[in-house]
Every structure is written in structure tokens, then in C-alpha cells.
Amino acid sequence: MRVKAADAGFTLSSEDRTGSLLAALAAGRPGGRILELGTGAGEGAAWLLSGMDRASRLTTVELDATVQAIAREQLGADPRVTFVAGDGGAWLEDFDGPPFDLVFADTWPGKFTHLDRALELVAPGGTYLIDDLLPQPGRPRDHEAAVARLLAELDAREDFRCVRLAWASGLLMAVRAA
């Protein structure tokens, strides 16, 4: 999958430490409903699927249909996954289904934009996970300021318990109060 992603010019796949955490979190949600915002080439989705049981379901949303096609090719035969090609922000605004047990926001919508809506979709006792919080080459100029605003907003919430993980690309895990 990484080779095909690199061939397509996509270099933002979830790294292995983040992936192993995704698999562990998915394994802890038997029959879980999981949302990934930012499929990319499918690295995160593959990790999530590796931890999910047969009754769990994954919905993964990606703006770039060309990049998501790599994930569809590799993972599309798995009946537990539903791919959505489209703007994550619009999808969040339009979604009217039940909440998710795990939300992994790996793109701007659901993290730097549409945060409140993404958090509304986390079930009581559910987990919200974000990555890419540490400074890294290639990030947009306003990335650090956006991270600072995001962390302040999450820290101010009383309905989520947050823990920052200063490893991998910089993670934050928040659990919604039951």
C-alpha cells in the first residue's frame, strides 16, 4: 500500500506507531462503529480493520478520490468497510446516523474544522483520536497555530477527557464522558 501511495505522490500515510494504536483501539470495541476522516491511501483504514472484529463497521471519508482508489483496491473486498469519496466537512454536516465508538480524524475536517460536529458523533464512552500535532516538514504555514487553537479548545471541554501523546506524529486521544 505504501509503495502505491508513494507512486501516486501521497506521503502522508499513518505511521506504524499510530497504526498499532488504531488497531488496539478498534480491538477494544467489539461490534464497534468506527469513523475515519481522511482515508488517504488506506494505511489507517488497514490498521483499523486489522483490529476490528467481524461485527464492527468502518466508514472512511476522503476528499481525493484518486488517492482513496488505492485504499479501495487494497481493502474494498472487506465487507466491514464503507468508502465515501467527498469533502469530509460536508459529510460531517450531512451525516444523520448513530454515533461512533471511535473517530479517527486524520485530516482538517473533524480536527481543525468541523471539530464540534465530529465530537458530537462520538458515542458516550467513545474515543476521538487525532494525529499530526507535532511540527514536521511539509506542513502548511498555519499548522502550528491551528494545533495550538485545537488543543486549547479540546482542553476547555468538560465532556471529554484528553491525553496528549508526544510520540509518533503527535497524538491526542479524548474519551467522551459516559
Side-chain angles (χ1 to χ4, degrees):
M1 198 172 309
R2 287 187 184 166
V3 171
K4 289 185 182 238
D7 289 347
F10 186 80
T11 60
L12 300 174
S13 292
S14 294
E15 58 107 66
D16 289 346
R17 289 176 293 174
T18 300
S20 64
L21 178 59
L22 289 170
L25 291 171
R29 296 293 181 171
R33 291 179 36 78
I34 300 171
L35 172 63
E36 178 186 40
L37 297 165
T39 311
E43 197 76 26
W47 280 104
L48 288 163
L49 288 164
S50 76
M52 291 168 44
D53 67 6
R54 291 179 166 277
S56 295
R57 296 294 175 260
L58 169 63
T59 300
T60 183
V61 182
E62 172 61 44
L63 177 62
D64 186 338
T66 302
V67 172
Q68 191 186 59
I70 298 166
R72 286 177 184 264
E73 177 186 317
Q74 299 294 313
L75 307 171
D78 191 322
R80 300 172 300 165
V81 63
T82 299
F83 292 96
V84 177
D87 179 81
W91 186 90
L92 285 166
E93 290 170 5
D94 294 341
F95 180 76
D96 66 351
F100 294 89
D101 301 301
L102 172 59
V103 173
F104 176 44
D106 191 20
T107 189
W108 283 67
K111 187 182 339 185
F112 299 119
T113 69
H114 303 84
L115 175 64
D116 287 337
R117 180 62 181 141
L119 294 175
E120 286 173 12
L121 294 179
V122 178
T127 301
Y128 170 78
L129 182 71
I130 53 177
D131 66 350
D132 301 330
L133 300 177
L134 294 176
Q136 294 179 20
R139 298 273 183 241
R141 179 185 319 198
D142 61 345
H143 184 262
E144 287 185 51
V147 168
R149 282 190 306 274
L150 170 66
L151 295 176
E153 193 169 338
L154 287 167
D155 285 343
R157 294 189 69 108
E158 295 183 10
D159 53 341
F160 281 85
R161 299 289 298 213
C162 299
V163 60
R164 296 181 197 178
L165 306 169
W167 57 272
S169 64
L171 305 168
L172 179 136
M173 184 170 66
V175 175
R176 184 177 204 140

